[in-house]
Amino acid sequence: MRKTTLSLLIAASVLGAGALSGCQTAPVAADSQAAAVDADFASVAESLLMRGLERSPESSIYAGRYDNAATLTIPDARQRAADLTFARAGLQELAAFDPAQLSPAERIDHMLLKNRYEASIWYQETFRDWQWNPSRYNIAGPIGLLLNTPYADEDERLRTVMARVEHVPEYYAAARANIADPTAEHVELAIVQGRGSLSVLGDPLRKQIADSGLDAADKATFNARIDAARAAIGEWTGWLEGVQAQQVAAGKARSFRIGAEQYERKFAYDIQSHFTAAQLHQRAVDEKNRLHGQMDKITVELWPKYFAGTAMPDDRLQRIGMMIDKLSARHVGRNEFFDEIKRQIPLLAEFVRKHDLLDQDASRPLVVRETPEYMRGGGAGASVSAPGPFNPTANTYYNVSPLDDYSDEQAESFLREYNHWVLQILNIHEAIPGHYTQLLHANKSPSLVKSLVGNGAMIEGWAVYAERMMLEAGWGEQAPEMWLMYGKWNLRVVTNAILDYEVHVEGLSEARALDLLRREAFQEETEAVNKWRRVRLSQVQLTSYFTGYAEIYDFREQQKQRLGEDFDLKTFHNRFLSYGNAPVPAIMQLMAE
């Protein structure tokens, strides 16, 4: 319905423009025809989206829509065939519209949907990660959302979960049938996540059932289904452990590297940038060199303060590293990490309000929590889980992975990485005005397509842009220590892009990758090891941060130059965020037109 409303507004604005230009019959008729085409396309686009959500209960749950949440999608060959049929039919429906005849907003929606269906076909037929990546198969996420989102009374939500849990054995049987020649890295991750899934179906849920208003028969049925589901998960992880043992004995497994051809295609579908993957890689290499020069100037400035009487090394990377190592000793204690994150969130919100940087919404809660067990193991220490546009007032969760499994040495390395200055930048990125703020704006976008068909480079790029913007606005009081640590943090974004491309396309070795991360990006050992793990588990996603950031920052600077004194930062931010999760080049086009 929100999409239809947008179409009516577009039609009204087009007709209004014709009326203001005079009583010329032809332009009014042409504008009326254009408005009608837009309205027809908007109807088709909304229909495609809603049919897609009806076919994917899991996508519906993440979008905040629960009418089909009781159904668990079984990832078998029949489901894949149906997905292909739907994607091809969607492309045929889109082909009925000439994008050149659509208004800018609708033209972007057409592009997003076309890319979504073409990517879906490529992923199934060519990339085929459903066959070699067992970590794709995890039933815990939607169940966790249903149990923790109060969209209905508790008993109704429990009945919905009970219905989903019934088919968990069938789900993992299909997953097992799909897997052939998996990578060792994804087998390991699937084992970790499978064990984590058991926590969702554990004693807390059984207690919730016991204390609920379900009748005795339903309680017994639910507990029996939990037993069967837990057994199925145990069989799945046990089978994966067998696969893992075979791979170890054979001394080989499928390579996690996807190669140049697949990398470029995946980059094009996932990132939707005006850069190619190769161009983005070169931009990142150039930016790394620029940052080294900037950080060296700050290091030379700070040297007398922190290293009085100590000769400064001739090698700039060595002296930058020494300064970062010195500053990194200032960090919170192991048991204070979680609480310090919670403490900083309201301070960031107040800073944004005081400096009038962009609109916020205090009515939408942000809940800091420990990362659920079923979400751990992928190498990310912090993340945000946001509600979908159909349930925009639900909680947004800031997930913080606990340090429980770290040795004292690993915990110290981690805390040095997320030291006094870097922890503040992390909270800007994940929370305010980064992911949390951007996703709140996205859920208010009048375009369901732009909200639901999210572009990762825009989402991650905004969070990275927010870091620099906040420091430019005065967060950190322009302290050189903060800017030096920002340079270190920004190097992480830059080296993410370099690392991902060079690992998957150029065959970068583990030793060289860790040298890049440790020596050139000044990362602590724990962080570097986690990143090496992450780059073997994902492809292209690590480039999204730098791609989106470079495009957003370049665009802002272009707008400042074009508008001069008329440029207003808050207006730019609010307008940019109003277009939902569209690719940055598309937002640039919409703002220009």
Side-chain angles (χ1 to χ4, degrees), residues 453-490:
V453 187
N455 177 261
M458 184 275 170
I459 295 170
E460 294 295 354
W462 170 265
V464 176
Y465 164 79
E467 302 158 11
R468 180 168 177 175
M469 181 270 292
M470 286 284 280
L471 266 62
E472 290 174 340
W475 180 270
E477 300 177 341
Q478 304 299 340
E481 291 89 346
M482 175 61 90
W483 278 106
L484 180 66
M485 285 301 183
Y486 167 77
K488 166 183 158 62
W489 178 267
N490 200 231

Side-chain angles (χ1 to χ4, degrees), residues 223-519:
N223 278 294
R225 289 179 181 179
I226 289 174
D227 291 339
R230 288 178 63 88
I233 294 171
E235 291 172 4
W236 164 247
T237 55
W239 179 75
L240 288 172
E241 287 167 348
V243 172
Q244 188 177 57
Q246 291 173 3
Q247 291 176 335
V248 170
K252 63 179 181 178
R254 178 194 181 99
S255 174
F256 63 86
R257 306 177 198 270
I258 65 174
E261 182 178 353
Q262 287 199 339
Y263 192 93
E264 279 286 0
R265 286 291 296 278
K266 195 173 191 296
F267 182 89
Y269 284 130
D270 291 3
I271 304 299
Q272 295 175 270
S273 170
H274 67 271
F275 294 112
T276 65
Q279 289 170 342
L280 190 278
H281 171 254
Q282 186 57 53
R283 171 76 180 262
V285 171
D286 293 341
E287 182 67 8
K288 180 189 70 171
N289 294 331
R290 188 193 71 81
L291 281 168
H292 281 163
Q294 190 178 60
M295 295 169 71
D296 190 39
K297 289 180 181 179
I298 299 173
T299 296
V300 172
E301 174 190 348
L302 289 174
W303 195 267
K305 179 178 177 180
Y306 291 96
F307 288 99
T310 301
M312 189 165 55
D314 293 332
D315 181 83
R316 72 174 183 178
L317 293 182
Q318 184 180 352
R319 59 181 176 250
I320 294 170
M322 287 177 65
M323 184 60 67
I324 288 174
D325 188 60
K326 183 79 170 180
L327 296 177
S328 297
R330 183 178 175 186
H331 60 72
V332 298
R334 178 175 187 155
N335 297 326
E336 300 168 327
F337 185 71
F338 186 85
D339 291 338
E340 178 61 18
I341 287 177
K342 292 182 69 174
R343 187 190 71 83
Q344 289 183 17
I345 302 306
L347 301 180
L348 290 168
E350 175 59 21
F351 183 90
V352 170
R353 186 200 63 76
K354 181 179 178 181
H355 290 78
D356 206 25
L357 297 177
L358 76 168
D359 288 339
Q360 300 183 91
D361 187 348
S363 68
R364 307 290 177 86
L366 175 64
V367 179
V368 183
R369 68 174 181 182
E370 289 192 356
T371 305
E373 287 188 38
Y374 63 84
M375 292 175 61
R376 301 177 193 175
S383 65
V384 164
S385 300
F390 292 103
N391 189 23
T393 60
N395 289 342
T396 298
Y397 292 101
Y398 183 175
N399 307 305
V400 180
S401 295
L403 309 184
D404 300 348
D405 294 335
Y406 283 168
S407 66
D408 290 343
E409 182 180 2
Q410 290 172 325
E412 175 64 16
S413 175
F414 179 90
L415 293 168
R416 288 177 62 85
E417 182 71 24
Y418 293 93
N419 55 61
H420 171 74
W421 295 276
V422 170
L423 186 57
Q424 297 173 57
I425 302 170
L426 172 70
N427 289 330
I428 292 171
H429 179 102
E430 297 292 347
I432 299 171
H435 286 319
Y436 163 66
T437 304
Q438 182 268 318
L439 292 169
L440 287 183
H441 279 259
N443 278 344
K444 296 178 181 180
S445 170
S447 166
L448 277 178
V449 175
K450 295 182 186 69
S451 293
L452 289 172
V453 187
N455 177 261
M458 184 275 170
I459 295 170
E460 294 295 354
W462 170 265
V464 176
Y465 164 79
E467 302 158 11
R468 180 168 177 175
M469 181 270 292
M470 286 284 280
L471 266 62
E472 290 174 340
W475 180 270
E477 300 177 341
Q478 304 299 340
E481 291 89 346
M482 175 61 90
W483 278 106
L484 180 66
M485 285 301 183
Y486 167 77
K488 166 183 158 62
W489 178 267
N490 200 231
L491 269 176
R492 176 186 297 197
V493 170
V494 172
T495 53
N496 276 352
I498 297 171
L499 180 73
D500 200 65
Y501 186 86
E502 293 186 0
V503 165
H504 286 286
V505 175
E506 299 179 353
L508 188 72
S509 69
E510 178 180 0
R512 179 66 188 93
L514 292 175
D515 180 69
L516 171 68
L517 295 167
R518 294 283 283 118
R519 188 176 62 87

